[in-house]
Amino acid sequence: MFRHNLPFKKISLLAATCSGLLVSLATLTQAGGPPPQQGKPVSEPEPATGKPVSEPMPAESPSPNAMPAAPADAPPRFPMPASRVTPAEGMVVIKLVNTTNALINYQVLGVTQPRTLGEQSEILLQNLKVPITLTYQRPDGGLLLVRPQATAMPGMLQVSFGATTDLGADTKSLEIQEDGRVFLN
């Protein structure tokens, strides 16, 4: 009787071990495989030069808002001033220049009604008391790269509108503060 139970226990133990391995394998397969190796290996051989092995550079982390970085030619966005203009007696002149092949709707909040700037055109907005907010958008929903730039004429700011495909460079408004700092939002 003892002889008969011994092989049965060995088979049961073998079956339990195999089924446990199958469950573990199935779990790994469903979870997408083994976890990626993290950290550096326990033992790392030194190169023949005798110098320690350098560690790889850490991967660049994405921006906190998960937006792509703005192109190098895009002006800074809020909270950094994109430009500066020196108001003349508290007033500024804004020259809007549309370099795109699309219409641009714009409005100086509290001063003008919504207006349209034609394709490849420009307009002067005169005697605007600072602080002001200028809003703009393309009616077709296209993205705009806005470049504000002070001109040689005191109190004048040129705002050039260009097309872009970079969502991170697109803005919807421009603010000129009393001290002449220009912000894109």
Side-chain angles (χ1 to χ4, degrees):
M1 195 157 97
F2 181 73
R3 238 174 136 177
H4 186 292
N5 286 338
L6 185 60
F8 180 70
K9 286 184 180 179
K10 284 184 180 179
I11 292 173
S12 297
L13 183 58
L14 182 61
T17 305
C18 288
S19 65
L21 288 174
L22 287 175
V23 169
S24 297
L25 182 59
T27 303
L28 284 175
T29 303
Q30 290 175 354
Q37 185 174 353
Q38 297 176 348
K40 62 182 194 177
V42 175
S43 65
E44 196 170 288
E46 289 188 13
T49 60
K51 295 180 182 177
V53 174
S54 63
E55 293 184 22
M57 295 296 293
E60 186 175 311
S61 61
S63 62
N65 59 5
M67 298 292 288
D73 63 340
R77 292 182 64 171
F78 188 80
M80 297 298 297
S83 185
R84 293 184 186 271
V85 62
T86 305
E89 298 177 14
M91 308 288 263
V92 293
V93 174
I94 300 177
K95 180 179 183 179
L96 300 178
V97 180
N98 183 357
T99 63
T100 72
N101 291 322
L103 297 175
I104 298 175
N105 293 333
Y106 69 93
Q107 179 179 6
V108 177
L109 298 181
V111 179
T112 64
Q113 296 299 316
R115 296 182 183 175
T116 301
L117 181 61
E119 304 163 351
Q120 300 291 325
S121 65
E122 58 186 54
I123 190 168
L124 277 179
L125 305 175
Q126 298 183 0
N127 301 322
L128 299 172
K129 185 169 175 22
V130 290
I132 65 163
T133 299
L134 171 73
T135 61
Y136 42 83
Q137 69 179 22
R138 285 177 44 171
D140 64 2
L143 305 177
L144 289 171
L145 176 61
V146 179
R147 292 186 188 100
Q149 183 178 12
T151 65
M153 183 177 158
M156 184 174 187
L157 181 72
Q158 179 172 315
V159 179
S160 299
F161 295 100
T164 185
T165 57
D166 184 359
L167 187 60
D170 184 53
T171 59
K172 300 294 181 203
S173 69
L174 174 143
E175 294 179 29
I176 302 175
Q177 296 185 346
E178 288 182 23
D179 62 1
R181 290 184 298 162
V182 179
F183 293 96
L184 295 174
N185 296 303

